[in-house]
Amino acid sequence: MHDLRTWTSDVHRTVDDTPYGGGPGMVMRPEPWGQALDAVGAGTLVVPSPVGKPFTQADAHELAALDHLIFACGRYEGIDQRVIDDAASRMPVREVSLGDYVLFGGEVAVIVIMEAVTRLLPGVLGNADSLTEESHAAGLLEAPVYTKPAAWRDREVPDILRSGDHGRIARWRRDQSLLRTAARRPDMMASYPPSSLDKADRKA
Ligand SMILES: Nc1cc(-c2ccc3cc[nH]c3c2)n[nH]1
């Protein structure tokens, strides 16, 4: 963690200023950011932003494979664009959005990204199999999950899950994933490769 004010030189340790072109709020000054990024060295710079590329599980896997991640947490109306442009001349930069809503700053977004990335690192999750079954891993939403008791408030666990027939259970789960994804995330269905449907059919 680095305090951006470390790289200020005025008595008030100023990190923001008014936006060129007018408009509400303040913009983060380039000088402190430039010196801070120089100081932390090269890596892949991850910048949470409302205007970034939507962050996906695939992005989490890509970041988990990298040696050095640098997270830039902005505040106010954002960071002077020249900071991003200057950094991109020296290192990979990823501006990422967590969703179509606006936060106060990048800190919470960085916490979310760090959790999504670190849980993919070898040895972090107790059961690595969880990574292959979870939502978004196979391009679909996960099937519903159940545990004991078999009946709870007059609601029974689907019989198939108690049948011991693992082939039929796998098929049921895949079908439930497809139904759930089609209902809640038709955008994911659009990119779900039909070829893998054939493979799953063959497997089950
Ligand atoms: N997905 C998403 C990111 C943000 C975000 C990220 C950084 C800053 C800096 C100032 N406001 C910010 C907002 N809002 N929503």
Side-chain angles (χ1 to χ4, degrees), residues 131-192:
L131 293 178
T132 54
E133 308 275 327
E134 65 189 5
S135 288
H136 302 279
L140 292 175
L141 299 183
E142 194 175 353
V145 292
Y146 302 84
T147 187
K148 295 186 282 298
W152 175 73
R153 293 188 180 180
D154 296 333
R155 298 178 189 276
E156 303 272 341
V157 171
D159 288 337
I160 184 73
L161 295 180
R162 303 177 65 209
S163 69
D165 183 335
H166 295 292
R168 288 184 59 222
I169 289 169
R171 170 79 183 231
W172 179 87
R173 283 178 168 157
R174 199 287 312 271
D175 292 347
Q176 290 294 310
S177 290
L178 286 168
L179 288 168
R180 187 175 256 195
T181 307
R184 299 178 185 181
R185 292 294 304 273
D187 59 299
M188 288 176 69
M189 288 305 286
S191 53
Y192 187 68

Side-chain angles (χ1 to χ4, degrees), residues 48-50 74-78 96-106 109:
S49 164
R75 276 271 155 166
Y76 308 99
E77 297 303 312
V96 296
S97 167
L98 293 194
D100 294 338
Y101 46 82
V102 184
L103 303 169
F104 274 122

